[in-house]
Amino acid sequence: MGKRENEDEDEINLINAEFESMVEGLSLDESAPTTYLDELDQFEKENRFTPPAIPKKTLMQQYREARQAIQRWIKNSENQKPDEGGSI
């Protein structure tokens, strides 16, 4: 059992040494004015989509546009061939 314990201890020491070598290069200095998450939030705020302002229309303008659209739709449907399935 002594040999097995030495192998386990050697393995633990190797793992600890590897961990210490990785951690040694890290800086725990938190004096940075911003973090990555702060920069990401700022990027999202700057690049946020702002929809364009849609001009308001009177009821009469809406009616005229709807009537024109329906007339165009009827005119276009008259030009359809019955084989195409676009007839009314």
Side-chain angles (χ1 to χ4, degrees):
M1 272 208 160
K3 186 176 183 181
R4 179 72 180 151
E5 289 175 6
N6 284 341
E7 288 176 4
D8 290 342
E9 189 176 324
D10 288 342
E11 189 173 334
I12 290 172
N13 288 338
L14 179 63
I15 292 171
N16 286 338
E18 287 180 20
F19 177 75
E20 288 175 15
S21 69
M22 288 189 294
V23 172
E24 189 175 304
L26 297 177
S27 173
L28 299 178
D29 181 22
E30 295 183 11
S31 63
T34 60
T35 64
Y36 173 73
L37 295 176
D38 293 335
E39 292 174 11
L40 190 60
D41 285 341
Q42 185 63 29
F43 176 79
E44 288 178 358
K45 288 176 186 173
E46 291 173 0
N47 294 307
R48 186 164 298 188
F49 173 73
T50 305
I54 299 173
K56 301 230 181 238
K57 297 180 182 178
T58 65
L59 185 59
M60 187 56 84
Q61 287 173 324
Q62 291 177 11
Y63 170 75
R64 283 187 199 121
E65 289 180 5
R67 194 174 104 218
Q68 289 172 351
I70 292 170
Q71 287 173 346
R72 279 193 311 264
W73 178 62
I74 291 172
K75 182 180 177 185
N76 289 337
S77 67
E78 290 172 356
N79 297 333
Q80 297 289 328
K81 296 178 184 173
D83 298 349
E84 293 179 354
S87 61
I88 299 176

